[in-house]
Amino acid sequence: MDSARPHERATAFDRMLTPLHRWIWSDAGRRAHKLLRFGETETDGGRDILRAAEVTTDPLLRRLYLEHAIDEFRHGVLFRRRAAALFSDFSSRSNSGFQGDWFAPGGHGLDDLQVDDESDETMLAFLHLSEKAAASRFTVYRDVMQHDPPTRAIFEEILHDETFHMNYTLIQLARVAPQQHQRHLWRARLSRLWKSYLRVATALAGIFGSILLTIQYFVLLPPFAWLARRAERRELSGWTRVPPERSGLLDRQY
Ligand SMILES: [Fe+2]
Ligand SMILES: [Fe+2]
């Protein structure tokens, strides 16, 4: 059960990708860009949780959501400040183009959420899984950041908060839905899985679409270009005499 793992611990999948994460985070420029985007994600998440605090009718949840939102806003500031410091230090040396967002995404995935449509139970289940995923990834990011102690310290600090968010959301879910909290968690898991599938499918469709259009460009267009050139060669150049039968009076437009 989830409550048996109250501390941050990377999932096997995230641990398996550690070498890839180490490479992605090794470039200072890429690191700065990623931290900047992480900052935006955290701030956006904070905004959604602030909205959740407005719409909940549960006083305890409202207080916890407010503290949670303040944490997320603070994370946003920490990430952006560190990104700004890296940009000023390393901008001239960076050669990063690839950001690896598929493999090293930021925060919580709260962009999937329509806060106004959620009940306390579904909101808490979604938040718990999102915070758990963030805590897992941030554990790996912290561990691969030995070469950058200030960034590592930020991940360490944020990880502490994400672990608290992960735990309080599970405890509150068990409070507001004592009989059905596992069902809510499974529904939230399936929903996240479905949205992940849609994201991957959309990205793959974009890649396949680009490949097909490229193939069409190189396979279908050349015959038309050849036919056009051949027709051009048959055309007489310059002014040509119009045959008498086509040279009627100029008393109509066509
Ligand atoms: Fe956060
Ligand atoms: Fe969080």
Side-chain angles (χ1 to χ4, degrees):
M1 191 177 141
D2 298 89
S3 56
R5 292 170 51 190
H7 303 296
E8 72 271 15
R9 200 171 119 186
T11 61
F13 180 72
D14 284 331
R15 280 203 308 276
M16 194 179 75
L17 293 178
T18 297
L20 186 61
H21 289 307
R22 186 170 286 119
W23 174 76
I24 287 172
W25 287 100
S26 62
D27 181 87
R30 188 187 294 130
R31 200 154 65 241
H33 281 286
K34 289 190 75 62
L35 290 174
L36 195 62
R37 274 202 303 285
F38 278 24
E40 288 165 10
T41 309
E42 296 283 327
T43 305
D44 286 346
R47 220 170 276 132
D48 286 334
I49 294 162
L50 200 55
R51 179 65 188 152
E54 286 175 344
V55 298
T56 185
T57 54
D58 186 310
L60 176 58
L61 280 186
R62 182 173 300 123
R63 213 190 73 210
L64 286 164
Y65 283 158
L66 279 175
E67 287 180 14
H68 189 160
I70 291 167
D71 282 347
E72 302 301 354
F73 286 131
R74 197 169 55 83
H75 298 169
V77 171
L78 285 171
F79 278 138
R80 279 198 298 276
R81 275 192 193 149
R82 183 64 194 140
L86 284 171
F87 274 127
S88 62
D89 287 352
F90 297 105
S91 57
S92 58
R93 281 192 264 157
S94 169
N95 58 356
S96 65
F98 173 71
Q99 301 296 319
D101 287 339
W102 270 35
F103 308 103
H108 313 74
L110 285 172
D111 49 325
D112 288 340
L113 200 61
Q114 295 294 323
V115 177
D116 288 10
D117 300 338
E118 304 293 335
S119 65
D120 285 343
E121 293 85 351
T122 55
M123 182 74 194
L124 285 165
F126 187 92
L127 277 179
H128 171 67
L129 296 181
S130 302
E131 298 292 336
K132 192 170 162 182
S136 167
R137 286 195 298 265
F138 286 1
T139 303
V140 176
Y141 300 163
R142 175 202 61 189
D143 292 345
V144 301
M145 212 64 72
Q146 289 99 342
H147 56 287
D148 184 348
T151 307
R152 183 186 165 95
I154 287 171
F155 274 116
E156 179 75 57
E157 183 180 342
I158 292 177
L159 185 54
H160 178 77
D161 290 342
E162 306 299 13
T163 309
F164 168 70
H165 301 158
M166 178 182 93
N167 292 334
Y168 98 77
T169 44
L170 184 63
I171 292 166
Q172 293 305 311
L173 179 60
R175 178 179 69 83
V176 299
Q179 308 297 327
Q180 296 183 313
H181 70 281
Q182 283 295 344
R183 194 164 67 89
H184 285 299
L185 283 174
W186 274 109
R187 284 185 61 176
R189 275 189 197 106
L190 290 175
S191 168
R192 280 173 64 89
L193 202 63
W194 174 244
K195 282 165 183 164
S196 301
Y197 161 75
L198 287 181
R199 263 197 296 269
V200 172
T202 307
L204 285 179
I207 292 169
F208 285 129
S210 302
I211 292 171
L212 277 177
L213 283 174
T214 307
I215 291 171
Q216 283 182 9
Y217 181 81
F218 285 107
V219 172
L220 293 182
L221 279 187
F224 285 104
W226 179 77
L227 287 172
R229 285 227 180 94
R230 199 179 67 159
E232 184 190 16
R233 276 199 297 272
R234 287 178 179 173
E235 286 284 323
L236 297 171
S237 61
W239 294 95
T240 53
R241 190 182 179 83
V242 178
E245 63 273 17
R246 285 177 54 198
S247 178
L249 291 171
L250 294 176
D251 57 357
R252 58 202 168 96
Q253 194 171 359
Y254 302 105

